[in-house]
Amino acid sequence: VEPIARGYGLDCSIYLAHLLREGARAPKDPTRARALLRRCAEKALPAAFLPYAEMLEEGEGGPVDAVEAGHWRERAQRLAGR
């Protein structure tokens, strides 16, 4: 599934990350979900900022990283005009 998502671009990768995070229509895999969201966030896809920050804050799919989570949460809030 992941190679197909890559072929359709970042928007599809965001969708796949949400499926993997929730375990909907694909086996739950928070580690892969976090990696996909990180890649999308680093490519400046705004839809990835907040979910990636949440995963970092909660230690979902990897260790807690409050500093990095704060960075992505701040970017999401700037985009929202807060």
Side-chain angles (χ1 to χ4, degrees), residues 2-74:
E2 198 168 335
I4 294 169
R6 275 197 298 269
Y8 284 96
L10 294 176
D11 288 333
C12 192
S13 293
I14 286 282
Y15 178 70
L16 177 59
H18 287 295
L19 292 178
L20 292 169
R21 186 177 182 195
E22 300 301 321
R25 298 185 182 186
K28 192 171 187 172
D29 190 342
T31 303
R32 282 180 55 207
R34 183 167 161 165
L36 282 169
L37 287 170
R38 178 182 179 170
R39 183 170 50 210
C40 291
E42 289 175 345
K43 298 278 186 183
L45 190 65
F49 295 169
L50 194 54
Y52 183 51
E54 290 169 351
M55 291 189 85
L56 290 166
E57 289 170 344
E58 297 166 9
E60 188 179 349
V64 170
D65 188 337
V67 173
E68 190 71 6
H71 165 76
W72 292 107
R73 186 168 290 283
E74 182 180 312

